[in-house]
């Protein structure tokens, strides 16, 4: 039985592209980037969210600072134990697609419908009060924002943020980290919500790196962290329940600077049938 499959993806689900007013989104995104960089005391637990009502994060850090390693530990072995805890390499390899519905609260109220075809196709529909307000589509190395029937291709930092969030998704990042020849390093020890963890850094080709917080007690993947354009991004998973042999996080705490969003998983299907048209922007 293994750990949550929808983890760092939630960072993407809470990206600041969910509102109806694009100009307002851009202004608030700029302000949030500045605020995130000034919030040094909370950068260790940062996570990006959409603009909206802000909820202040307690000064008690849910993720402790990383301490230098007191003894050498093999990052390959740490990742292998985490993968085994999640369900094993064979089971992970069989997961080719994912469909999930989530409810976002805290920083804002939205519902999301996410469809993924690994390794590089993604679509997220954002709804407010049942009304579709935006869709985000990634197909290969390209990504698009769709609103009111009009679409715009994402470029630069925003494109990188989407691709990085997809690459740092729990399932995707564990696949990369467990490959032969993966570029891994043991950063040291930390704690996530009081649970001791070892921290492993994994290089993501062309996108930077992610830090995996692997629990000492059970080898669960407690959190994933990466650097997005808005600042250091961290997603913390909880309420694990088995789904198809995997332990899936049914609640994720998403933090960026002094802001917080909680994403609650309402429904999930592993290996759903997804039409090719799902990821074609001209079809939406």
């Amino acid at each position: 039985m293994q750990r949550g499959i929808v983890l760092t993806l939630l960072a993407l689900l809470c990206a600041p592209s969910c509102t109806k007013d694009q100009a307002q989104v851009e202004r608030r995104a700029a302000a949030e980037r500045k605020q995130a960089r000034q919030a040094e005391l909370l950068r260790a637990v940062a996570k990006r969210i959409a603009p909206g009502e802000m909820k202040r994060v307690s000064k008690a850090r849910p993720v402790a600072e990383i301490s230098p390693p007191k003894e050498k530990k093999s990052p390959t072995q740490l990742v292998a134990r985490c993968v085994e805890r999640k369900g094993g390499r064979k089971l992970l390899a069989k997961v080719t697609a994912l469909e999930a519905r989530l409810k976002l609260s805290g920083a804002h109220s939205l519902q999301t419908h996410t469809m993924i075809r690994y390794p590089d196709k993604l679509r997220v529909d954002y709804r407010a009060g049942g009304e579709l307000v935006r869709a985000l589509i990634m197909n290969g190395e390209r990504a698009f924002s769709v609103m009111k029937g009009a679409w715009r291709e994402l470029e630069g930092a925003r494109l990188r943020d989407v691709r990085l969030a997809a690459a740092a998704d729990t399932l995707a990042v564990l696949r990369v980290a467990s490959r032969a020849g993966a570029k891994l390093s043991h950063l040291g020890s930390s704690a996530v919500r009081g649970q001791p963890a070892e921290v492993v850094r994994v290089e993501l080709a062309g996108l930077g790196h992610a830090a995996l917080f692997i629990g000492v007690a059970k080898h669960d993947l407690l959190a994933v962290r990466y650097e997005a354009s808005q600042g250091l991004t961290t997603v913390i998973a909880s309420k694990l329940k088995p789904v198809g042999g995997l332990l899936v996080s049914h609640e994720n705490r998403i933090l960026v600077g002094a802001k917080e969003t909680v994403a609650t998983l309402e429904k999930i299907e592993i290996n759903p049938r997804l039409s090719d048209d799902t990821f074609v922007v001209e079809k939406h």
Side-chain angles (χ1 to χ4, degrees):
M1 291 297 185
Q2 295 316 309
R3 184 160 179 76
I5 196 171
V6 191
L7 188 60
T8 55
L9 172 62
L10 297 177
L12 178 60
L13 298 184
C14 297
S17 57
C18 309
T19 60
K20 295 182 180 180
D21 190 332
Q22 185 62 33
Q24 183 181 29
V25 168
E26 298 293 344
R27 289 194 298 270
R28 290 191 180 184
E32 288 170 8
R33 286 194 293 271
K34 181 178 179 180
Q35 183 183 28
R37 282 167 170 73
Q38 290 174 342
E40 294 296 334
L41 292 178
L42 292 168
R43 282 178 62 84
V45 296
K47 179 72 186 74
R48 50 181 306 196
I49 62 170
E53 178 189 357
M54 300 306 174
K55 178 179 179 181
R56 291 291 165 182
V57 178
S58 167
K59 291 184 179 180
R61 297 180 180 184
V63 178
E65 293 285 1
I66 300 173
S67 302
K70 295 180 180 179
E71 59 177 300
K72 273 193 173 183
K73 295 190 178 181
S74 167
T76 301
Q77 290 182 6
L78 290 170
V79 169
R81 290 169 186 160
C82 184
V83 169
E84 189 60 30
R85 172 66 177 161
K86 184 174 180 61
R89 294 184 65 175
K90 289 184 179 180
L91 183 57
L92 265 64
K94 291 180 181 179
V95 180
T96 59
L98 179 72
E99 185 171 8
R101 295 181 184 273
L102 300 105
K103 179 180 179 180
L104 310 182
S105 59
H108 53 284
S109 296
L110 286 171
Q111 302 81 45
T112 65
H113 181 195
T114 302
M115 292 148 282
I116 306 172
R117 185 186 293 169
Y118 295 101
D120 59 1
K121 290 181 172 57
L122 165 74
R123 174 181 166 186
V124 184
D125 289 344
Y126 300 90
R127 294 182 180 274
E131 178 187 358
L132 180 65
V133 295
R134 183 177 295 276
L136 181 66
I137 297 174
M138 184 184 80
N139 196 329
E141 296 185 355
R142 303 176 71 187
F144 304 85
S145 174
V146 184
M147 186 170 67
K148 295 182 179 180
W151 58 271
R152 180 172 63 89
E153 184 164 5
L154 303 182
E155 299 177 341
R158 300 195 69 180
L159 172 61
R160 177 185 174 276
D161 282 352
V162 172
R163 294 184 60 211
L164 179 57
D169 165 68
T170 306
L171 179 57
V173 76
L174 283 179
R175 281 175 169 169
V176 171
S178 60
R179 285 180 194 153
K183 295 183 179 180
L184 307 174
S185 59
H186 179 216
L187 297 182
S189 59
S190 179
V192 179
R193 288 181 169 176
Q195 300 180 63
E198 297 295 336
V199 187
V200 173
R201 169 174 165 151
V202 54
E203 296 295 328
L204 303 175
L207 295 171
H209 66 272
L212 311 181
F213 291 73
I214 300 172
V216 171
K218 296 182 178 180
H219 312 298
D220 286 329
L221 184 55
L222 302 177
V224 176
R225 174 186 292 169
Y226 58 91
E227 184 74 39
S229 64
Q230 287 195 316
L232 191 62
T233 297
T234 305
V235 182
I236 304 169
S238 63
K239 296 186 179 180
L240 305 184
K241 298 178 183 179
V243 178
L246 302 175
L247 280 186
V248 175
S249 173
H250 281 59
E251 184 173 282
N252 291 267
R253 186 175 178 184
I254 304 170
L255 305 147
V256 59
K259 296 160 290 185
E260 176 180 352
T261 291
V262 174
T264 302
L265 182 63
E266 297 186 324
K267 183 179 180 180
I268 184 170
E269 182 179 356
I270 296 174
N271 291 335
R273 292 184 179 181
L274 298 175
S275 166
D276 289 341
D277 288 349
T278 301
F279 311 102
V280 177
V281 69
E282 287 83 359
K283 299 290 184 179
H284 303 281

